[in-house]
Amino acid sequence: MATSVAGEGQPSLNGIISDPQTKKLTDLPTELLELILCFPVLKHVDICNVSCCCKRLHDVCHGRGKVWGHQYKLRWPRLQRFYRQNECCDWLREYKTRHRVGIQIRRTVESISKRFFTEVPCVGQVLGDSFAEIESLGMPEHFCEDELLFILNSDKRKSLTLKYYAKKILYFLRQQNILRSLKAFLEQPAEQQAALEGAVLVDQYCNPLADVTLDGISAQLDEITEKVKKMLRIKNPSHPSLRIAQGAFLFPSCAGLHFHCTESIVLLRRTGIPISLSVLYMTLAQKLGVQLEPVNFPSHFLLRWCQKPRGSEDIYDFVYIDAFGKGKQLKAKECEYLIGHQVTADYYSAISTTEVLLRMVGNLLNIGKRGEGNEKSYQLLRDSLDLYLTINPDNVQYLLLQARLYFHLGIWPEKVLDILQHIQALDPSQHGAVGYLVQHTLEHIQHKKHPVTPEAKKRSAPEHLEVQYSVGLIMKHKRSGYNCVIYGWDPKCTMSQEWITTMRVHQLPNGANQPFYNVLVQDGTCRYAAQENLEPHSAPLEIGHPEVGRYFSEFAGTHYVANEELQARYQEDMDETLLTVQEKAREDEDTVGLIQ
């Protein structure tokens, strides 16, 4: 315990004790002792030590809960939103539980890299197994999430591997919660399903680490609604939208409500597809008393507003609104100009909230399919498939796509078998595709039972003497100009002849018969670069690649420090990296000396 807890301008504890009326510290009133023990300089270890001094101090520390409540709030401020103000709580028990959860979570995350580090990351399996481990702890979920956030918010340049897996587990944990919320939403009667709530759940699932909440979106929409009303009071003070009660609907002129819904108010900003903007527009209109409906129009999502007070089924009785086209209002046949061909009346009909969500997720699926085959596009494809099959679990086409995607990525082979069994039950005509995938998935499961440990590469081996660079060095590509960090190498190019021809490796002076390096590039890609095309970066910088933490534990300012697993693979590289960095530092010093 600190010898002094008095800060500048605060009463000295020694002064209090020297008071002739107070012979001992324990004679002080409980409230004053609690105040002293709540000084910010005291940590939980100090409180434990004080409580062991005597029964009086033990009772003060543990009696009314104020001391441990203060310690809890001081150490885990993010958790305060889970408690009501002045809530009576066993803070010592809460503190112990949160502390234990932190230890268990950290142990789980630390063990992942050791268990799952391979040449090709099997992230899905990592997350599934780790999630099961965390669930088995039986601890409060918000404690688990708080510890993962604590890890992520620690020193930016250190514990990169720990952060890498903590982020993936947090991503997965939040997605499971969102999926449960979506399933509960879909179980509600159709008339109770608010399109905005569904759209927010879709956005949250695809961006689980972002701070997007239904309350937050609703609050922003309320602000926009008030701005629209303010504009109406100036331009059209007699407009009926200004007189309605909340939740009521009128029959005001739709033309009098132009919300200026441009891309700038796409609150679901990461998806940014027209359908999400239409949901926002529709919700705004509802807040202003105008009933709009989503329309089943192909390729271009529209809203419609009935011009007749008692409703109609005639498509010519509606005004159609293109929210993404800045709220442009169209007649029925004008809508066809948007897609360049005629459609039947069915495509002008209103659709349910579930159908809105399916179209939204379908758009995301198409974006994922058109991706570049990198981790980001695969993640979007996986997320959108999860969402689509949650809403429509018996769609054979997308079930088969999900099975093929998991098989291609080498993740969750047991889940692939479950999906294939479901497909076979739904559509026996798919037995050819199902049989092929079942056979190869079973082979994959057998292969997993007998994993092959990659051979360690030593620079001192005769076949590796031409390798000039080492893992962790920050490099620059001489031709393409990109910045990167080395995370692996081969003494000769190991790619196929087709790849060598496509990438024109044979046109290089040294061709494929030279060392090649696996590098993480600043733009988020992974590349395989020839030694003659790389050079050490003159001013080393951090590489903003999402996979950096998988291979490196720290950015040391001039290079990256390989984690234990990568060091085991390249056992002599870190010494070489340090020598290279030190030699460059000496050269820089000599250059500065010559200039001076």
Side-chain angles (χ1 to χ4, degrees):
M1 179 176 172
T3 56
S4 174
V5 294
E8 185 178 345
Q10 296 171 329
S12 167
L13 183 58
N14 292 330
I16 294 172
I17 296 174
S18 64
D19 190 312
Q21 300 298 319
T22 307
K23 301 299 183 183
K24 297 184 295 184
L25 177 66
T26 51
D27 290 336
L28 292 172
T30 298
E31 291 81 358
L32 184 54
L33 285 172
E34 286 176 339
L35 182 63
I36 293 169
L37 292 171
C38 287
F39 270 47
V41 295
L42 298 178
K43 306 302 179 187
H44 68 281
V45 175
D46 300 317
I47 303 303
C48 289
N49 290 336
V50 168
S51 69
C52 294
C53 292
C54 65
K55 185 178 184 305
R56 167 69 172 146
L57 292 178
H58 180 277
D59 292 343
V60 171
C61 291
H62 305 310
R64 301 196 304 176
K66 182 175 180 180
V67 176
W68 281 110
H70 172 77
Q71 284 293 322
Y72 184 91
K73 295 167 187 175
L74 197 65
R75 187 170 178 186
W76 299 297
R78 279 190 298 265
L79 293 175
Q80 295 317 298
R81 60 191 177 92
F82 294 98
Y83 303 92
R84 294 186 301 273
Q85 192 172 6
N86 300 321
E87 178 178 357
C88 184
C89 182
D90 187 343
W91 289 110
L92 177 58
R93 184 182 65 185
E94 291 289 289
Y95 192 100
K96 287 180 177 178
T97 303
R98 172 62 183 85
H99 184 70
R100 282 197 299 269
V101 169
I103 293 172
Q104 291 291 341
I105 290 292
R106 192 168 285 266
R107 284 176 181 168
T108 299
V109 177
E110 286 175 345
S111 70
I112 293 175
S113 187
K114 294 179 176 63
R115 289 181 291 154
F116 295 101
F117 184 86
T118 55
E119 287 297 306
V120 180
C122 189
V123 173
Q125 190 67 39
V126 170
L127 298 180
D129 291 350
S130 302
F131 180 62
E133 286 180 25
I134 290 171
E135 276 195 322
S136 69
L137 296 176
M139 299 295 189
E141 200 166 279
H142 58 289
F143 284 0
C144 300
E145 181 170 314
D146 188 64
E147 182 62 27
L148 292 169
L149 286 170
F150 182 81
I151 292 171
L152 289 173
N153 292 328
S154 58
D155 191 332
K156 181 184 176 183
R157 294 185 171 189
K158 296 184 177 180
S159 303
L160 300 181
T161 300
L162 196 65
K163 292 176 185 175
Y164 174 80
Y165 288 106
K167 184 176 181 178
K168 291 191 176 296
I169 293 175
L170 181 61
Y171 191 103
F172 191 79
L173 282 171
R174 286 188 174 178
Q175 280 195 327
Q176 300 313 299
N177 287 333
I178 296 163
L179 217 52
R180 283 193 287 268
S181 298
L182 178 59
K183 289 176 181 177
F185 172 83
L186 294 170
E187 289 171 358
Q188 297 175 358
E191 62 274 11
Q192 295 180 18
Q193 294 177 356
L196 179 64
E197 182 179 354
V200 169
L201 286 169
V202 167
D203 187 73
Q204 286 176 328
Y205 191 80
C206 294
N207 303 279
L209 301 182
D211 186 21
V212 176
T213 65
L214 179 59
D215 289 344
I217 297 292
S218 297
Q220 291 180 64
L221 285 173
D222 286 340
E223 289 179 12
I224 296 172
T225 303
E226 288 306 313
K227 289 179 181 178
V228 173
K229 287 183 176 180
K230 184 177 179 180
M231 180 189 69
L232 284 175
R233 290 187 189 101
I234 297 170
K235 295 187 175 182
N236 189 359
S238 62
H239 198 285
S241 288
L242 299 174
R243 301 192 302 271
I244 65 161
Q246 188 172 4
F249 289 108
L250 306 164
F251 180 66
S253 168
C254 188
L257 293 175
H258 183 62
F259 303 135
H260 302 288
C261 282
T262 62
E263 293 86 340
S264 63
I265 69 159
V266 183
L267 303 179
L268 307 182
R269 55 197 174 281
R270 283 150 305 281
T271 57
I273 53 181
I275 200 166
S276 63
L277 184 53
S278 297
V279 169
L280 292 169
Y281 196 107
M282 184 169 61
T283 307
L284 276 170
Q286 182 178 348
K287 289 177 178 290
L288 291 161
V290 180
Q291 180 70 53
L292 299 181
E293 298 174 301
V295 177
N296 188 33
F297 203 73
S299 304
H300 206 93
F301 196 79
L302 300 174
L303 301 170
R304 73 178 191 180
W305 170 75
C306 187
Q307 301 179 83
K308 293 193 174 181
R310 299 193 179 184
S312 173
E313 293 301 321
D314 188 338
I315 66 172
Y316 297 102
D317 287 337
F318 289 87
V319 171
Y320 299 88
I321 301 169
D322 181 7
F324 204 67
K326 300 184 178 180
K328 185 177 181 180
Q329 296 173 15
L330 307 165
K331 295 178 182 178
K333 286 305 174 184
E334 290 177 327
C335 297
E336 295 176 352
Y337 295 134
L338 295 172
I339 56 175
H341 60 84
Q342 292 184 331
V343 294
T344 62
D346 291 343
Y347 289 105
Y348 289 92
S349 60
I351 58 175
S352 67
T353 296
T354 299
E355 291 170 307
V356 169
L357 297 184
L358 281 175
R359 285 196 59 166
M360 182 183 294
V361 175
N363 282 353
L364 293 173
L365 268 168
N366 290 331
I367 295 171
K369 288 177 184 177
R370 294 195 301 266
E372 300 175 353
N374 54 26
E375 184 181 354
K376 187 176 181 180
S377 61
Y378 281 136
Q379 187 66 58
L380 178 59
L381 192 55
R382 284 177 56 192
D383 291 346
S384 49
L385 278 171
D386 288 346
L387 288 166
Y388 198 99
L389 292 170
T390 298
I391 302 169
N392 185 9
D394 294 337
N395 186 297
V396 172
Q397 175 191 353
Y398 286 132
L399 282 167
L400 196 55
L401 177 59
Q402 187 180 55
R404 284 172 172 158
L405 178 64
Y406 285 176
F407 176 76
H408 173 73
L409 296 176
I411 62 177
W412 280 329
E414 293 80 7
K415 186 172 182 178
V416 172
L417 292 178
D418 290 340
I419 296 169
L420 294 172
Q421 186 177 9
H422 186 43
I423 293 171
Q424 189 65 35
L426 291 171
D427 185 1
S429 68
Q430 297 288 339
H431 62 86
V434 169
Y436 174 85
L437 287 171
V438 166
Q439 178 186 346
H440 286 82
T441 301
L442 290 172
E443 291 175 0
H444 177 60
I445 291 173
Q446 284 298 117
H447 179 72
K448 276 181 60 184
K449 292 179 180 177
H450 308 285
V452 178
T453 303
E455 181 184 356
K457 294 182 179 180
K458 294 187 176 182
R459 308 178 61 80
S460 57
E463 63 272 23
H464 297 156
L465 294 181
E466 293 183 11
V467 178
Q468 294 181 11
Y469 306 125
S470 50
V471 297
L473 284 178
I474 297 167
M475 313 293 289
K476 190 177 187 69
H477 196 277
K478 296 177 183 177
R479 298 189 178 195
S480 301
Y482 61 72
N483 303 320
C484 59
V485 58
I486 296 172
Y487 72 95
W489 50 258
D490 297 306
K492 302 288 185 288
C493 181
T494 60
M495 302 299 279
S496 66
Q497 188 58 47
E498 180 183 1
W499 184 90
I500 289 173
T501 303
T502 302
M503 302 304 293
R504 300 179 181 179
V505 172
H506 58 284
Q507 296 180 8
L508 293 172
N510 295 321
N513 193 33
Q514 63 175 308
F516 270 69
Y517 297 85
N518 302 103
V519 296
L520 302 176
V521 183
Q522 186 78 40
D523 63 5
T525 59
C526 301
R527 304 193 188 185
Y528 196 50
Q531 180 166 278
E532 66 181 77
N533 283 339
L534 293 175
E535 62 182 357
H537 203 289
S538 58
L541 72 168
E542 286 187 80
I543 303 298
H545 193 287
E547 294 294 300
V548 161
R550 179 173 151 69
Y551 302 101
F552 302 101
S553 60
E554 180 182 347
F555 176 63
T558 54
H559 64 284
Y560 278 90
V561 178
N563 60 22
E564 292 181 16
E565 291 68 44
L566 190 62
Q567 287 194 44
R569 181 83 170 92
Y570 298 92
Q571 297 178 358
E572 300 171 347
D573 269 42
M574 281 317 300
D575 289 340
E576 183 68 22
T577 296
L578 288 172
L579 286 172
T580 302
V581 169
Q582 290 168 1
E583 182 178 339
K584 183 179 182 304
R586 284 194 294 270
E587 290 175 356
D588 291 345
E589 289 177 3
D590 292 342
T591 301
V592 171
L594 287 173
I595 293 173
Q596 292 177 345

